[in-house]
C-alpha cells in the first residue's frame, strides 16, 4: 500500500487556509491523508470546519500540535511561521510555507512545481511558496525563457484585496456599500494598504500603489519580492543579474484574482508572436486566452476559483525588436497560494521526497 500522511493545516480558518483544506481534499488520490489537524489561533478553538465531508474541530497551534505530523501546510502569517515551523521540523515534519518569512534563506527551496521542481530536492524541512504575484508571472514567462531566453522584465500589477486576507476583502465590500449609500469610507479603513502601517486608506473606488510595507529604497516590499523571488525561482540566485526585473505593485478594488501587465525582452530576437503564444499555451498549468477578434482575454472575474494561470493580449513592441507585452491573470488565493502549496506537497510525494 502507498504511504499515508498526517497533515496539519496552520492558519486553517483564513482565506488561504480554507482553500488549502478544499484543494487537499481534491487531491486525496495523490496525497493519501491518514489524519488531518486544523490549527489556528486561540480565537478559533472549537470552531468546526469540514475536510472531505467530515467535521474537524480547530485546535490552537502550539509546538506539540506537530507531534506525529508528516506534512504542514502553513499560512498563518510570517511571525507564526517563524515561531512554529522550526518546532514542526524538529518533530520530523516537512513544512510548505506560504508566508514570506523563509523565502530568501539559501537552504529553503522557493518552488512553483511547473517551473523549478528540482529545487525541492534541496529542502531541509521547509519549502517556501512564492508570493502570489511572482507565481503567476513566472508561470507565464518560464516557457518563454526556456525557448527564447529572457533579458528583461518590467511588470505592473493589478492586485486584488484577497491577497491581504479575508479581512481586506470584507473591508473592500463594506466600503463599496458605504460609498453607494453616500457614507464616508475613510474613517473605517483599518486593513489596507497594509495592516501594520500607520495610515490606512479606502480601496473601494480607489487604487493603492502600496502593497506590503514601503522600504527606504523607494520600492514596496511586494515589489522587492517580485524582483528577487523571480530571480531565485528562474535562476537559482535572488541577486542574479542575467535577467533584469523591475516592478510596480498596485492594489485594485476587486476581491480576488490578480492581473499583471508584463513587458519582457527575449534573447532570441527572431522569436515571433505566434511562437511565444504557442510556448505559453503548451506549458502545463497555463491557459492561453488570446483571441482579439473575438474579444477573448483573461479577466479576474472568470479566473476566480480556477487553478490555472490565464495569459492573453500577447503582442510585440513594434518599436523594439525582441520585446513583447502580455496580460496575465490568476486566482491569487489558489495558484497564488493554496493550490501552489498543495501542488508542491503533491510534487514531493511524486518525487519520493516525503
Ligand atoms: P487571513 O484570512 O487573515 O487568515 C489568517 C490565518 O492565520 C487564520 O487562520 C488565523 O487564525 C491564523 N492565525 C493568525 N494568528 C495566529 C496565531 N498566533 N497562531 C496561529 N494561527 C494564527 O489571512 P490569509 O489570506 O489566509 O493569509 C495568511 C498568510 O498567508 C498571510 O499572512 C501571508 O503571510 C500568507 N499569504 C501568502 C500569499 C502568497 O502570496 N503566497 C498570499 C496570501 C497570503 P484565526 O482565525 O484564529 O485568527
Ligand atoms: N502583503 O506572502 O498584501 O508575500 O496582498 C502576499 C500577499 C504578502 C506574501 C498582500 C502580502 C504576501 C500580500
Amino acid at each position: 500500500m502507498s504511504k499515508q500522511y498526517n497533515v496539519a493545516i496552520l492558519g486553517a480558518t483564513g482565506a488561504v487556509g480554507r482553500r488549502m483544506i478544499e484543494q487537499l481534499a481534491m487531491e486525496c488520490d495523490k496525497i493519501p491523508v491518514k489524519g488531518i489537524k486544523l490549527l489556528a489561533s486561540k480565537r478559533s478553538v472549537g470552531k468546526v470546519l469540514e475536510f472531505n465531508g467530515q467535521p474537524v474541530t480547530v485546535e490552537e497551534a502550539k509546538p506539540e500540535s506537530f507531534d506525529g505530523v508528516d506534512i504542514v501546510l502553513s499560512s498563518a502569517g510570517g511571525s507564526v511561521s517563524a515561531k512554529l515551523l522550526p518546532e514542526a521540523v524538529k518533530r520530523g515534519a516537512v513544512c510548505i510555507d506560504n508566508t514570506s518569512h523563509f523565502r530568501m534563506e539559501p537552504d529553503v527551496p522557493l518552488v512553483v512545481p511547473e517551473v523549478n521542481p528540482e529545487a525541492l530536492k534541496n529542502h531541509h524541512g521547509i519549502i517556501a511558496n512564492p508570493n502570489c504575484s511572482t507565481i503567476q508571472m513566472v508561470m507565464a514567462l518560464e516557457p518563454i525563457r526556456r525557448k527564447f531566453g529572457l533579458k528583461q522584465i518590467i511588470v505592473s500589477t493589478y492586485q486584488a484585496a484577497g491577497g491581504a486576507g479575508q479581512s481586506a476583502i470584507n473591508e473592500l465590500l463594506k466600503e463599496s456599500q458605504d460609498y453607494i449609500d453616500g457614507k464616508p469610507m475613510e474613517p473605517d479603513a483599518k486593513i489596507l494598504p497594509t495592516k501594520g502601517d500607520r495610515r490606512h486608506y479606502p480601496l473601494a473606488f480607489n487604487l493603492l500603489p502600496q502593497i506590503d510595507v514601503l522600504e527606504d529604497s523607494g520600492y514596496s516590499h511586494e515589489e522587492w519580492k517580485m524582483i528577487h523571488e523571480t530571480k531565485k525561482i528562474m535562476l537559482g540566485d535572488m541577486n542574479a543579474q542575467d535577467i533584469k526585473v523591475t516592478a510596480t505593485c498596485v492594489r485594485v478594488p476587486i476581491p480576488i484574482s490578480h492581473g499583471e501587465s508584463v513587458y519582457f525582452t527575449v534573447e532570441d530576437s527572431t522569436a515571433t508572436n505566434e511562437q511565444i503564444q504557442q510556448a505559453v499555451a503548451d506549458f502545463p498549468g497555463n491557459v492561453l486566452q488570446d483571441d482579439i477578434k473575438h474579444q477573448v482575454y483573461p479577466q479576474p472575474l472568470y479566473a476566480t476559483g480556477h487553478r490555472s494561470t490565464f495569459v492573453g493580449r500577447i503582442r510585440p513592441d513594434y518599436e523594439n525588436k525582441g520585446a513583447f507585452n502580455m496580460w496575465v491573470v490568476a486566482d491569487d488565493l489558489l495558484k497564488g497560494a493554496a493550490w501552489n502549496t498543495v501542488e508542491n506537497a503533491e510534487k514531493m510525494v511524486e518525487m519520493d521526497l516525503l
Side-chain angles (χ1 to χ4, degrees):
M1 212 183 114
S2 64
K3 258 196 247 176
Q4 293 196 315
Y5 303 92
N6 284 319
V7 182
I9 298 186
L10 176 57
T13 53
V16 176
R18 285 173 188 267
R19 286 167 176 81
M20 284 176 167
I21 300 171
E22 286 168 13
Q23 296 296 315
L24 178 66
M26 284 188 241
E27 299 305 303
C28 275
D29 53 331
K30 302 207 181 93
I31 310 174
V33 175
K34 186 163 51 178
I36 183 108
K37 269 190 183 176
L38 302 183
L39 306 173
S41 79
K42 244 190 229 141
R43 297 177 289 272
S44 299
V45 172
K47 246 188 209 168
V48 180
L49 301 176
E50 255 186 30
F51 176 72
N52 241 343
Q54 300 296 316
V56 182
T57 306
V58 177
E59 299 169 46
E60 183 183 352
K62 295 181 183 158
E64 311 80 74
S65 311
F66 302 102
D67 287 335
V69 168
D70 304 302
I71 306 173
V72 180
L73 307 178
S74 150
S75 194
S79 56
V80 179
S81 288
K83 197 171 123 214
L84 288 180
L85 297 193
E87 296 290 339
V89 172
K90 228 190 268 172
R91 290 166 169 80
V94 170
C95 306
I96 307 178
D97 182 32
N98 201 39
T99 79
S100 55
H101 188 79
F102 295 102
R103 285 183 195 147
M104 287 308 161
E105 295 202 359
D107 64 348
V108 172
L110 183 66
V111 181
V112 178
E114 293 87 346
V115 176
N116 61 333
E118 291 299 307
L120 289 169
K121 290 182 184 161
N122 307 323
H123 83 87
H124 294 82
I126 298 178
I127 291 95
N129 217 44
N131 173 263
C132 39
S133 308
T134 309
I135 292 177
Q136 67 184 68
M137 185 172 83
V138 301
M139 282 293 290
L141 286 172
E142 177 66 6
I144 301 167
R145 188 189 74 80
R146 286 187 195 170
K147 284 221 160 73
F148 308 108
L150 279 175
K151 290 203 296 200
Q152 188 175 20
I153 304 164
I154 303 173
V155 58
S156 296
T157 69
Y158 300 65
Q159 294 183 227
Q166 189 57 49
S167 55
I169 297 181
N170 298 346
E171 182 165 282
L172 169 64
L173 297 178
K174 179 170 185 304
E175 287 166 356
S176 304
Q177 191 60 53
D178 285 347
Y179 183 90
I180 289 163
D181 294 344
K183 293 187 196 153
M185 299 186 290
E186 190 165 346
D188 289 338
K190 304 248 168 349
I191 308 286
L192 293 170
T194 193
K195 207 172 168 187
D197 218 334
R198 283 158 303 168
R199 301 191 66 174
H200 296 101
Y201 305 109
L203 178 63
F205 302 94
N206 198 13
L207 298 170
L208 296 172
Q210 178 190 352
I211 297 183
D212 214 330
V213 292
L214 295 172
E215 295 172 349
D216 292 341
S217 63
Y219 282 78
S220 68
H221 191 52
E222 186 82 351
E223 291 159 353
W224 186 95
K225 285 180 278 187
M226 286 198 80
I227 295 165
H228 295 284
E229 290 183 20
T230 298
K231 291 169 187 253
K232 179 164 174 176
I233 296 164
M234 284 184 160
L235 305 168
D237 171 3
M238 66 175 276
N239 291 312
Q241 286 298 308
D242 313 49
I243 304 176
K244 299 200 181 305
V245 189
T246 192
T248 301
C249 293
V250 180
R251 188 87 66 185
V252 300
I254 60 173
I256 303 178
S257 291
H258 295 344
E260 293 177 350
S261 164
V262 185
Y263 179 87
F264 59 94
T265 53
V266 293
E267 275 168 7
D268 177 0
S269 61
T270 67
T272 66
N273 206 61
E274 291 67 31
Q275 286 172 324
I276 301 245
Q277 285 171 316
Q278 196 59 52
V280 169
D282 291 344
F283 196 66
N286 284 345
V287 173
L288 184 73
Q289 291 182 327
D290 200 2
D291 180 1
I292 51 170
K293 282 199 186 64
H294 298 96
Q295 283 178 281
V296 173
Y297 40 73
Q299 298 169 53
L301 196 58
Y302 303 112
T304 298
H306 297 276
R307 290 172 168 179
S308 304
T309 300
F310 300 91
V311 187
R313 299 293 320 280
I314 300 178
R315 61 207 191 277
D317 171 0
Y318 291 114
E319 317 256 293
N320 283 299
K321 207 168 161 43
F324 298 83
N325 282 290
M326 69 180 165
W327 173 243
V328 184
V329 177
D331 185 325
D332 56 304
L333 298 175
L334 288 182
K335 185 56 186 168
W339 167 233
N340 200 74
T341 306
V342 171
E343 203 185 1
N344 266 323
E346 191 169 301
K347 199 67 179 178
M348 294 188 79
V349 171
E350 186 189 307
M351 290 167 76
D352 206 15
L353 295 171
L354 281 172

